[in-house]
Amino acid sequence: MILPSHLSVRGGHLHIGEHDTVALAERFGTPLYVTDEDRVRENFRRLSEALTAHYPKVRILYAAKANGNLAIFRALASLGAGADVFSAGELTLALAAGMQPDTLLFNGSSKAPADLALAVEKGVRVSVDSLDELRQLDRAAGAAGKTVEIAFRVNPAIDVPTHPKIATGLATSKFGIPASEILDAYRHALAAEHINPIGIHCHIGSQILAVEPFAREVEVLIGVARDLIDIGVDPSFIDIGGGLGIPYRRETDRAPAPEEYAGAVMPVFLKGIKELGIEPELWVEPGRWLVADSTVLLSRVNSVKTAHKTFANVDAGFNLLVRPTMYDSYHEVVAANRADAPAVREYSIAGPICETGDILAKDRMLPELHAGDIIAVLDAGAYGFAMSSQYNSRPRCAEVLLSGGKAALMRRAETIEDLTALMATPPWQA
Ligand SMILES: *Cc1c(COP(=O)(O)O)cnc(C)c1O
């Protein structure tokens, strides 16, 4: 198997950074999410350098939903990242991690009045998704005696090669304002008393392994910028969203490197702004690309069963990693405590959840497995823990962060008591 540079096999054990995953599983228990902070930092730097090599005015807004742990936010904040936040919770965490309000963009197609009020109060820019929302935001800003800077989320009607559930820029998606109606939206924003339209926002989808859709997206946004200049808006940022994919199937996926991504989008962007005579900041909102490969999910084999096929029944299921069940996603799995043993048999890695669909990995050639062995699920850092649940009344597992030779909890495991802690007894049952 091809391993990224922060993963290695030493003495038969899978290592992440300097750490033996088997020792981590013993020390912290399983299931366990383990994140290599150094890898997150390296990913950020690489993407940042790839983009700024073309143009200095680039801002990276981490897509907070990919991994919501404060420790991840802090690591990225220390590198100068802002964040694309999609809820009051994400906004609050980003500020708590030390990100400045003017490095955040509050996105979302369904913001509540309290969300809009919070953005106004904190001085966070808003990506507005409808005229209805614009009116409400104008009112909220007026009530607070402030002006809010906004972008509109443009729906560019671009078809992208990814799973339909994560294609967000289709003409039929729930996100954004159709490109054909966007100018009218900006006119409304200009007329609104407490709104200052300064940006253009777009996000075409996630896990995109081709660069060409991003180049087409930038072309659409440059067209929008051209129209905006005509009505008197000088865009100060153009936000092209996230979506750069990673090679989950390490043997066969062809994933664009950040340099290739930058090489596709930056020339279109630079040519466009030069023609228009503007120098807006370029914003990008990577989620998956920054954090996915930094993390492994460690899980222990409870039992092995051969029926119509052979199952390794492990202690992590779609309660902790829903991507295989929800998006038919593929994650590489490694027998962490016998990582250099020959693959001898096909196993399906099945979780402990009472659902047929609770399969983390299907039909993988692996070494002989036994109860007690440790399975590492790779590339689990994006939309992994973030989408976990307590389904089947299973407490969520702990998350450990690594930095060099250090390892520490960044979230403790939940307990059975945590499951009932928020439940209340209706008085007639007391
Ligand atoms: C989810 C999301 C992103 C990040 O997508 P990735 O595929 O994780 O890079 C960026 N922007 C917006 C608006 C999003 O909803």
Side-chain angles (χ1 to χ4, degrees), residues 56-122:
K57 291 168 71 174
V58 171
R59 175 167 282 173
I60 297 181
L61 283 75
Y62 166 55
K65 73 179 188 284
N67 187 324
N69 195 293
L70 257 179
I72 303 296
F73 286 55
R74 274 190 225 104
L76 289 164
S78 75
L79 296 169
D84 143 33
V85 298
F86 224 83
S87 68
E90 288 178 2
L91 189 158
T92 305
L93 292 185
L95 293 176
M99 291 176 179
Q100 295 305 308
D102 70 347
T103 67
L104 307 182
L105 185 67
F106 196 167
N107 291 318
S109 50
S110 183
K111 302 185 194 81
D115 296 331
L116 299 176
L118 182 69
V120 170
E121 180 200 331
K122 301 294 182 190

Side-chain angles (χ1 to χ4, degrees), residues 55 154 156 158 179 182-183 200-202 214-230 233 235 237-240 264-282:
Y55 186 62
V154 182
I158 289 178
I182 201 74
L183 198 57
I200 306 169
H201 179 222
C202 187
F214 296 109
R216 262 191 293 149
E217 175 199 4
V218 172
E219 226 152 69
V220 171
L221 299 186
I222 289 290
V224 173
R226 181 175 299 119
D227 292 345
L228 289 191
I229 291 168
D230 286 345
V233 177
F237 69 86
I238 296 179
D239 182 342
I240 66 174
V265 301
M266 293 310 289
V268 181
F269 176 78
L270 291 174
K271 178 169 172 281
I273 64 168
K274 189 162 173 232
E275 279 170 14
L276 299 177
I278 56 173
E279 278 197 7
E281 290 184 3
L282 177 83

Side-chain angles (χ1 to χ4, degrees), residues 63 65 84 86 107 153 203 206-207 242-243 285-288 383:
K65 73 179 188 284
D84 143 33
F86 224 83
N107 291 318
R153 167 100 174 234
H203 171 67
S206 199
Q207 184 52 17
E285 303 174 335
R288 188 187 312 273
Y383 312 107

Side-chain angles (χ1 to χ4, degrees), residues 317-387:
F318 79 68
N319 53 320
L320 295 177
L321 182 66
V322 78
R323 298 190 67 258
T325 305
M326 182 146 154
Y327 307 123
D328 298 316
S329 307
Y330 182 98
H331 284 262
E332 227 48 278
V333 296
V334 176
N337 60 318
R338 49 186 79 213
D340 55 4
V344 293
R345 187 201 287 272
E346 229 172 46
Y347 290 92
S348 284
I349 309 297
I353 296 300
C354 183
E355 298 256 357
T356 307
D358 186 30
I359 304 288
L360 289 177
K362 274 193 195 105
D363 305 334
R364 305 297 175 82
M365 282 302 289
L366 290 168
E368 195 71 40
L369 293 177
H370 305 282
D373 284 341
I374 301 293
I375 296 292
V377 183
L378 306 192
D379 306 311
Y383 312 107
F385 190 93
M387 295 177 94

Side-chain angles (χ1 to χ4, degrees), residues 30-66:
T30 60
L32 184 71
Y33 270 99
V34 180
T35 297
D36 182 359
E37 181 178 336
D38 298 331
R39 179 66 174 187
V40 175
R41 290 173 178 276
E42 184 185 330
N43 287 346
F44 181 90
R45 283 198 201 95
R46 178 141 179 231
L47 183 62
S48 176
E49 281 165 19
L51 292 165
T52 53
H54 294 261
Y55 186 62
K57 291 168 71 174
V58 171
R59 175 167 282 173
I60 297 181
L61 283 75
Y62 166 55
K65 73 179 188 284

